PDB file of all heavy atoms in Angstrom:
ATOM      1  N   ASP C  75      11.189 -15.165  31.074  1.00  0.00           N
ATOM      2  CA  ASP C  75       9.820 -14.973  30.590  1.00  0.00           C
ATOM      3  C   ASP C  75       9.311 -16.164  29.780  1.00  0.00           C
ATOM      4  O   ASP C  75       8.200 -16.634  29.975  1.00  0.00           O
ATOM      5  CB  ASP C  75       9.785 -13.694  29.736  1.00  0.00           C
ATOM      6  CG  ASP C  75       8.382 -13.359  29.270  1.00  0.00           C
ATOM      7  OD1 ASP C  75       7.592 -12.913  30.101  1.00  0.00           O
ATOM      8  OD2 ASP C  75       8.088 -13.569  28.076  1.00  0.00           O
ATOM      9  N   SER C  79       6.281 -18.673  30.761  1.00  0.00           N
ATOM     10  CA  SER C  79       5.103 -18.839  29.900  1.00  0.00           C
ATOM     11  C   SER C  79       4.744 -20.315  29.787  1.00  0.00           C
ATOM     12  O   SER C  79       3.574 -20.703  29.858  1.00  0.00           O
ATOM     13  CB  SER C  79       5.385 -18.286  28.506  1.00  0.00           C
ATOM     14  OG  SER C  79       5.691 -16.922  28.572  1.00  0.00           O
ATOM     15  N   ARG C  82       3.260 -21.554  33.068  1.00  0.00           N
ATOM     16  CA  ARG C  82       1.857 -21.109  33.172  1.00  0.00           C
ATOM     17  C   ARG C  82       0.955 -21.976  32.313  1.00  0.00           C
ATOM     18  O   ARG C  82      -0.126 -22.375  32.718  1.00  0.00           O
ATOM     19  CB  ARG C  82       1.727 -19.655  32.690  1.00  0.00           C
ATOM     20  CG  ARG C  82       2.313 -18.612  33.618  1.00  0.00           C
ATOM     21  CD  ARG C  82       1.751 -17.230  33.291  1.00  0.00           C
ATOM     22  NE  ARG C  82       2.159 -16.723  31.992  1.00  0.00           N
ATOM     23  CZ  ARG C  82       3.282 -16.031  31.781  1.00  0.00           C
ATOM     24  NH1 ARG C  82       4.102 -15.774  32.782  1.00  0.00           N
ATOM     25  NH2 ARG C  82       3.580 -15.599  30.581  1.00  0.00           N
ATOM     26  N   ASN C  83       1.460 -22.268  31.124  1.00  0.00           N
ATOM     27  CA  ASN C  83       0.643 -23.018  30.164  1.00  0.00           C
ATOM     28  C   ASN C  83       0.334 -24.433  30.651  1.00  0.00           C
ATOM     29  O   ASN C  83      -0.782 -24.916  30.520  1.00  0.00           O
ATOM     30  CB  ASN C  83       1.375 -23.065  28.822  1.00  0.00           C
ATOM     31  CG  ASN C  83       0.533 -23.688  27.729  1.00  0.00           C
ATOM     32  OD1 ASN C  83       0.873 -24.731  27.202  1.00  0.00           O
ATOM     33  ND2 ASN C  83      -0.582 -23.049  27.421  1.00  0.00           N
ATOM     34  N   ARG C  98     -16.382 -12.129  20.808  1.00  0.00           N
ATOM     35  CA  ARG C  98     -16.618 -12.587  19.433  1.00  0.00           C
ATOM     36  C   ARG C  98     -15.973 -13.948  19.185  1.00  0.00           C
ATOM     37  O   ARG C  98     -15.503 -14.227  18.088  1.00  0.00           O
ATOM     38  CB  ARG C  98     -16.053 -11.599  18.423  1.00  0.00           C
ATOM     39  CG  ARG C  98     -16.801 -10.302  18.366  1.00  0.00           C
ATOM     40  CD  ARG C  98     -17.863 -10.337  17.298  1.00  0.00           C
ATOM     41  NE  ARG C  98     -18.541  -9.048  17.275  1.00  0.00           N
ATOM     42  CZ  ARG C  98     -18.754  -8.352  16.176  1.00  0.00           C
ATOM     43  NH1 ARG C  98     -18.365  -8.833  15.021  1.00  0.00           N
ATOM     44  NH2 ARG C  98     -19.374  -7.214  16.223  1.00  0.00           N
ATOM     45  N   GLU C 103     -14.120 -22.320  21.649  1.00  0.00           N
ATOM     46  CA  GLU C 103     -12.870 -21.748  21.132  1.00  0.00           C
ATOM     47  C   GLU C 103     -12.055 -21.117  22.263  1.00  0.00           C
ATOM     48  O   GLU C 103     -10.830 -21.186  22.269  1.00  0.00           O
ATOM     49  CB  GLU C 103     -13.168 -20.708  20.054  1.00  0.00           C
ATOM     50  CG  GLU C 103     -13.511 -21.350  18.730  1.00  0.00           C
ATOM     51  CD  GLU C 103     -14.154 -20.380  17.734  1.00  0.00           C
ATOM     52  OE1 GLU C 103     -14.616 -19.287  18.159  1.00  0.00           O
ATOM     53  OE2 GLU C 103     -14.202 -20.713  16.556  1.00  0.00           O
ATOM     54  N   TYR C 111      -1.397 -22.920  22.735  1.00  0.00           N
ATOM     55  CA  TYR C 111      -0.040 -22.504  23.066  1.00  0.00           C
ATOM     56  C   TYR C 111       0.796 -23.643  23.640  1.00  0.00           C
ATOM     57  O   TYR C 111       1.954 -23.446  23.978  1.00  0.00           O
ATOM     58  CB  TYR C 111      -0.096 -21.324  24.045  1.00  0.00           C
ATOM     59  CG  TYR C 111      -0.709 -20.103  23.421  1.00  0.00           C
ATOM     60  CD1 TYR C 111      -1.899 -19.568  23.897  1.00  0.00           C
ATOM     61  CD2 TYR C 111      -0.101 -19.504  22.324  1.00  0.00           C
ATOM     62  CE1 TYR C 111      -2.467 -18.458  23.295  1.00  0.00           C
ATOM     63  CE2 TYR C 111      -0.659 -18.396  21.718  1.00  0.00           C
ATOM     64  CZ  TYR C 111      -1.844 -17.878  22.210  1.00  0.00           C
ATOM     65  OH  TYR C 111      -2.412 -16.775  21.602  1.00  0.00           O
ATOM     66  N   GLY C 114       1.394 -28.995  19.521  1.00  0.00           N
ATOM     67  CA  GLY C 114       0.737 -30.271  19.297  1.00  0.00           C
ATOM     68  C   GLY C 114      -0.730 -30.086  18.945  1.00  0.00           C
ATOM     69  O   GLY C 114      -1.168 -28.997  18.591  1.00  0.00           O
TER      70      GLY C 114
ATOM     71  N   MET X   1       9.152 -28.432  25.048  1.00  0.00           N
ATOM     72  CA  MET X   1       7.960 -27.866  24.394  1.00  0.00           C
ATOM     73  C   MET X   1       7.883 -28.362  22.953  1.00  0.00           C
ATOM     74  O   MET X   1       8.831 -28.224  22.188  1.00  0.00           O
ATOM     75  CB  MET X   1       8.116 -26.343  24.393  1.00  0.00           C
ATOM     76  CG  MET X   1       6.862 -25.631  23.999  1.00  0.00           C
ATOM     77  SD  MET X   1       5.898 -25.263  25.443  1.00  0.00           S
ATOM     78  CE  MET X   1       4.276 -25.664  24.900  1.00  0.00           C
ATOM     79  N   THR X   8      -2.060 -26.526  14.967  1.00  0.00           N
ATOM     80  CA  THR X   8      -1.885 -25.274  15.711  1.00  0.00           C
ATOM     81  C   THR X   8      -1.829 -24.080  14.762  1.00  0.00           C
ATOM     82  O   THR X   8      -2.451 -23.042  14.997  1.00  0.00           O
ATOM     83  CB  THR X   8      -0.593 -25.317  16.535  1.00  0.00           C
ATOM     84  OG1 THR X   8      -0.624 -26.488  17.343  1.00  0.00           O
ATOM     85  CG2 THR X   8      -0.478 -24.093  17.416  1.00  0.00           C
ATOM     86  N   HIS X  11      -5.117 -23.300  13.507  1.00  0.00           N
ATOM     87  CA  HIS X  11      -5.870 -22.604  14.537  1.00  0.00           C
ATOM     88  C   HIS X  11      -5.478 -21.141  14.631  1.00  0.00           C
ATOM     89  O   HIS X  11      -6.336 -20.269  14.724  1.00  0.00           O
ATOM     90  CB  HIS X  11      -5.641 -23.271  15.903  1.00  0.00           C
ATOM     91  CG  HIS X  11      -6.695 -24.266  16.228  1.00  0.00           C
ATOM     92  ND1 HIS X  11      -7.788 -23.940  16.978  1.00  0.00           N
ATOM     93  CD2 HIS X  11      -6.822 -25.568  15.899  1.00  0.00           C
ATOM     94  CE1 HIS X  11      -8.568 -25.007  17.097  1.00  0.00           C
ATOM     95  NE2 HIS X  11      -7.998 -26.016  16.455  1.00  0.00           N
ATOM     96  N   ARG X  18     -10.510 -14.543  12.278  1.00  0.00           N
ATOM     97  CA  ARG X  18     -11.629 -14.135  13.119  1.00  0.00           C
ATOM     98  C   ARG X  18     -11.372 -12.738  13.696  1.00  0.00           C
ATOM     99  O   ARG X  18     -12.267 -11.906  13.751  1.00  0.00           O
ATOM    100  CB  ARG X  18     -11.835 -15.155  14.238  1.00  0.00           C
ATOM    101  CG  ARG X  18     -13.125 -14.960  14.985  1.00  0.00           C
ATOM    102  CD  ARG X  18     -13.493 -16.182  15.790  1.00  0.00           C
ATOM    103  NE  ARG X  18     -12.344 -16.689  16.507  1.00  0.00           N
ATOM    104  CZ  ARG X  18     -11.892 -17.931  16.416  1.00  0.00           C
ATOM    105  NH1 ARG X  18     -12.492 -18.791  15.649  1.00  0.00           N
ATOM    106  NH2 ARG X  18     -10.843 -18.309  17.098  1.00  0.00           N
ATOM    107  N   ARG X  24     -13.504  -5.399  11.905  1.00  0.00           N
ATOM    108  CA  ARG X  24     -13.529  -5.263  10.445  1.00  0.00           C
ATOM    109  C   ARG X  24     -13.318  -3.832   9.968  1.00  0.00           C
ATOM    110  O   ARG X  24     -12.683  -3.619   8.955  1.00  0.00           O
ATOM    111  CB  ARG X  24     -14.790  -5.867   9.847  1.00  0.00           C
ATOM    112  CG  ARG X  24     -16.095  -5.553  10.530  1.00  0.00           C
ATOM    113  CD  ARG X  24     -17.182  -6.512  10.012  1.00  0.00           C
ATOM    114  NE  ARG X  24     -18.413  -6.331  10.733  1.00  0.00           N
ATOM    115  CZ  ARG X  24     -18.676  -6.956  11.870  1.00  0.00           C
ATOM    116  NH1 ARG X  24     -17.795  -7.799  12.374  1.00  0.00           N
ATOM    117  NH2 ARG X  24     -19.801  -6.747  12.500  1.00  0.00           N
ATOM    118  N   ARG X 323      -3.912 -13.890  27.105  1.00  0.00           N
ATOM    119  CA  ARG X 323      -3.205 -14.916  26.333  1.00  0.00           C
ATOM    120  C   ARG X 323      -1.868 -15.253  26.974  1.00  0.00           C
ATOM    121  O   ARG X 323      -1.461 -16.427  27.013  1.00  0.00           O
ATOM    122  CB  ARG X 323      -2.986 -14.437  24.893  1.00  0.00           C
ATOM    123  CG  ARG X 323      -4.254 -14.443  24.040  1.00  0.00           C
ATOM    124  CD  ARG X 323      -3.969 -13.935  22.637  1.00  0.00           C
ATOM    125  NE  ARG X 323      -5.159 -13.874  21.813  1.00  0.00           N
ATOM    126  CZ  ARG X 323      -5.661 -14.915  21.120  1.00  0.00           C
ATOM    127  NH1 ARG X 323      -5.058 -16.084  21.175  1.00  0.00           N
ATOM    128  NH2 ARG X 323      -6.748 -14.773  20.389  1.00  0.00           N
ATOM    129  N   ARG X 324      -1.196 -14.220  27.482  1.00  0.00           N
ATOM    130  CA  ARG X 324       0.088 -14.450  28.140  1.00  0.00           C
ATOM    131  C   ARG X 324      -0.107 -15.312  29.377  1.00  0.00           C
ATOM    132  O   ARG X 324       0.660 -16.242  29.628  1.00  0.00           O
ATOM    133  CB  ARG X 324       0.733 -13.114  28.525  1.00  0.00           C
ATOM    134  CG  ARG X 324       1.169 -12.284  27.351  1.00  0.00           C
ATOM    135  CD  ARG X 324       2.423 -12.818  26.692  1.00  0.00           C
ATOM    136  NE  ARG X 324       3.634 -12.312  27.339  1.00  0.00           N
ATOM    137  CZ  ARG X 324       4.637 -13.093  27.705  1.00  0.00           C
ATOM    138  NH1 ARG X 324       4.575 -14.382  27.568  1.00  0.00           N
ATOM    139  NH2 ARG X 324       5.706 -12.562  28.246  1.00  0.00           N
ATOM    140  N   LEU X 326      -2.368 -17.445  29.883  1.00  0.00           N
ATOM    141  CA  LEU X 326      -2.741 -18.808  29.499  1.00  0.00           C
ATOM    142  C   LEU X 326      -1.584 -19.548  28.853  1.00  0.00           C
ATOM    143  O   LEU X 326      -1.738 -20.689  28.433  1.00  0.00           O
ATOM    144  CB  LEU X 326      -3.932 -18.772  28.540  1.00  0.00           C
ATOM    145  CG  LEU X 326      -5.211 -18.179  29.129  1.00  0.00           C
ATOM    146  CD1 LEU X 326      -6.319 -18.191  28.101  1.00  0.00           C
ATOM    147  CD2 LEU X 326      -5.634 -18.945  30.375  1.00  0.00           C
TER     148      LEU X 326
END
Side-chain angles (χ1 to χ4, degrees):
Chain C
D75 184 73
S79 300
R82 288 198 293 272
N83 186 244
R98 290 267 181 131
E103 282 165 344
Y111 295 116
Chain X
M1 191 91 223
T8 306
H11 265 265
R18 191 163 45 235
R24 45 194 174 273
R323 286 179 182 275
R324 292 286 274 131
L326 297 180

